[in-house]
Amino acid sequence: GVKNVMSNKLAFGCGVFSFLLLVSIILFGSSFKVLEPLEVGLDYNKNWFNVDQTRLYGPGRYLIGLGHGFLRFPVNHQVIRFQGEEMSDDADGSLIKVRSSDGLQVSVSCSFTYVLPRTAADLYRLYMEFQDEHRKFIAAIARDEIRNAAAEFQASQFYTNRRDIATAMAEILNTTMFTRWSVHIDSFQLLNFDLPETYLAAIEATEVWKQAFEEAYHEQSLLNHRIETEEQSNVKRGQREIILRRTSGEVSLIEQMGIADALEYQITALANSTAITKELMFDHLRQVPVQLANGTTVMQWEQYDRKDLLAFLWVQSIRTHSHPRVVVDTEIPDALVV
C-alpha cells in the first residue's frame, strides 16, 4: 500500500511539474515579442495600461515580459492616394472636391508619401491622439488642407500654374503635419483635376483668343519695325541728300566766292597798278595824234583824263572775266554812272 501511495504521489508531482514546466515555457515564450524589419514599437503594458515613453524598439526579438506588447509603427514611406469617383482598394479616398477662389468646383486627384516620426515621445503623442488609426486621420487632415490650399487659386490657374498649386498644397500639408505631429511629407503629386465642361470650353476659347492676340501683336511689332527701318532708311537717305546738296552748295559757294575774290583782287590789282602805269600810258597816249571833226589834230592826252582811264580799265576787266554771273562788290567809276 505504501508503494502505491508513493507511486501516486510521484506521479502527481511529475504531472504538476510537467504542467508547471509547460506553463512556464509557454509564459516565457509569450514574454518575447518580435518587431518586423520595417517596424518600430513602443512597449505597451497591458497589465497596467500604460506605455513606456522612454525607449523606442527597433526590428528584432525582445523579452519584454508577460502582458506586454508593442505599439507598432511603420518606418518606411507610406502612400496615400485620392483618386476615382468612389473609394477603392488601392486608394485612401475618392477625388477631393475643392472650391477655387472664384467659386468653381474642381475635382482633384492627388497622392503623397509621408514618414512617421522616429522618436518615442513623438510616436507616443501620435498614438494618444489617433490610436492605431493614424493613417485614416492623416488622410482626413490632408483632404482638408488640400481644400484650403486650392481655395487660394483661381480655376484657370490649374492650367497655367499647376506646379505652383502642387507646391502650395505640399507646403501647407507638410507644415500642418510636421508642426502638430512631426509627420514629414516626403513628396506630393497633383495627378489630375476636372473642371466643369462649360468652364473648359470658355478656357479653350480664351486660349485661342490669346494666341490670336499674340500673333496679331507679333505681326504689329514686325510691321512697326519695318516702318521704323524704312523711316530710318529714308531719313538717312534724306540726310545724305541734304549733306550732298549742302556740300555741293558749299563747294559752289566757295568756288563763287573764290572767283569773286579773284576778280576783286584782279580789279584791285588793276586799279592799284593804275597809279604805276597811268603815267606811262599817258606818256604813250600823248604820242598818238587824233584827228577831230573840224580837221584839227590834237594829242591823245588832251582827250582822256585820269578818270576816263580808270573807267576804261574797269570795263576791260569786266569784259575779259570768264564768269559774268558773279557780282563783285566794287565801286563803279564815276565816268560810267549815268
Side-chain angles (χ1 to χ4, degrees), residues 168-206:
M169 290 179 176
E171 288 179 352
I172 190 173
L173 187 58
N174 187 59
T175 300
T176 301
M177 293 295 181
F178 189 80
T179 302
R180 298 177 63 179
W181 303 288
S182 300
V183 175
H184 176 65
I185 304 300
D186 188 65
S187 65
F188 181 90
Q189 291 181 333
L190 181 59
L191 301 177
N192 200 3
F193 55 88
D194 294 325
L195 294 171
E197 294 295 333
T198 54
Y199 189 76
L200 291 176
I203 289 180
E204 183 177 357
T206 303

Side-chain angles (χ1 to χ4, degrees), residues 273-329:
S273 65
T274 302
I276 302 173
T277 61
K278 61 184 178 181
E279 297 297 336
L280 296 175
M281 293 181 68
F282 271 103
D283 292 341
H284 175 71
L285 290 175
R286 289 193 187 97
Q287 305 302 322
V288 179
V290 178
Q291 185 70 35
L292 301 179
N294 57 8
T296 306
T297 301
V298 296
M299 298 304 291
Q300 185 72 36
W301 64 271
E302 294 178 345
Q303 184 178 4
Y304 296 99
D305 58 8
R306 296 177 183 276
K307 292 184 178 180
D308 294 333
L309 180 59
L310 291 175
F312 170 75
L313 294 174
W314 192 91
V315 172
Q316 184 181 9
S317 65
I318 293 295
R319 292 180 61 187
T320 58
H321 184 58
S322 60
H323 297 276
R325 290 177 295 177
V326 179
V327 178
V328 182
D329 187 14

Side-chain angles (χ1 to χ4, degrees), residues 34-297:
V34 178
L35 290 172
E36 300 297 330
L38 296 179
E39 290 181 336
V40 292
L42 297 175
D43 181 10
Y44 175 58
N45 189 343
K46 299 178 182 178
N47 301 316
W48 299 99
F49 301 103
N50 58 16
V51 178
D52 183 6
Q53 307 176 36
T54 61
R55 180 181 179 184
L56 179 65
Y57 294 83
R61 185 183 300 273
Y62 299 94
L63 179 61
I64 57 178
L66 293 174
H68 287 253
F70 283 122
L71 301 177
R72 303 171 185 272
F73 303 93
V75 296
N76 58 333
H77 289 75
Q78 303 296 302
V79 181
I80 291 181
R81 298 184 180 89
F82 299 103
Q83 59 186 15
E85 295 296 334
E86 298 180 356
M87 289 287 293
S88 59
D89 295 337
D90 58 347
D92 296 272
S94 59
L95 293 175
I96 303 176
K97 305 294 184 180
V98 303
R99 286 284 180 182
S100 62
S101 60
D102 48 1
L104 288 178
Q105 178 175 295
V106 183
S107 299
V108 175
S109 175
C110 60
S111 67
F112 65 91
T113 61
Y114 69 92
V115 180
L116 295 178
R118 300 297 178 86
T119 64
D122 290 333
L123 289 174
Y124 175 74
R125 182 161 54 92
L126 187 69
Y127 174 79
M128 294 302 294
E129 189 157 356
F130 301 128
Q131 300 297 310
D132 294 330
E133 302 292 335
H134 59 83
R135 181 184 178 90
K136 177 181 177 180
F137 283 97
I138 288 176
I141 295 170
R143 183 182 292 270
D144 292 337
E145 295 301 330
I146 290 171
R147 287 196 182 101
N148 294 335
E152 301 295 328
F153 296 89
Q154 296 181 356
S156 60
Q157 291 180 294
F158 279 85
Y159 280 98
T160 59
N161 296 335
R162 178 170 180 169
R163 179 176 297 179
D164 294 340
I165 294 176
T167 301
M169 290 179 176
E171 288 179 352
I172 190 173
L173 187 58
N174 187 59
T175 300
T176 301
M177 293 295 181
F178 189 80
T179 302
R180 298 177 63 179
W181 303 288
S182 300
V183 175
H184 176 65
I185 304 300
D186 188 65
S187 65
F188 181 90
Q189 291 181 333
L190 181 59
L191 301 177
N192 200 3
F193 55 88
D194 294 325
L195 294 171
E197 294 295 333
T198 54
Y199 189 76
L200 291 176
I203 289 180
E204 183 177 357
T206 303
E207 292 300 324
V208 172
W209 177 84
K210 287 182 179 179
Q211 292 179 0
F213 175 78
E214 291 177 357
E215 292 177 358
Y217 181 79
H218 180 66
E219 292 178 359
Q220 183 183 17
S221 300
L222 292 178
L223 180 59
N224 292 336
H225 180 71
R226 188 181 303 113
I227 292 174
E228 292 177 358
T229 303
E230 292 178 357
E231 288 180 351
Q232 292 177 359
S233 299
N234 293 334
V235 170
K236 291 180 180 179
R237 190 181 302 111
Q239 289 177 347
R240 286 198 299 270
E241 293 178 357
I242 291 173
I243 293 173
L244 290 175
R245 291 175 183 175
R246 183 180 299 168
T247 305
S248 176
E250 290 176 352
V251 171
S252 299
L253 180 61
I254 293 172
E255 181 182 1
Q256 299 300 330
M257 290 177 63
I259 294 172
D261 291 340
L263 180 57
E264 184 177 1
Y265 294 153
Q266 180 182 358
I267 294 174
T268 303
L270 288 173
N272 292 334
S273 65
T274 302
I276 302 173
T277 61
K278 61 184 178 181
E279 297 297 336
L280 296 175
M281 293 181 68
F282 271 103
D283 292 341
H284 175 71
L285 290 175
R286 289 193 187 97
Q287 305 302 322
V288 179
V290 178
Q291 185 70 35
L292 301 179
N294 57 8
T296 306
T297 301

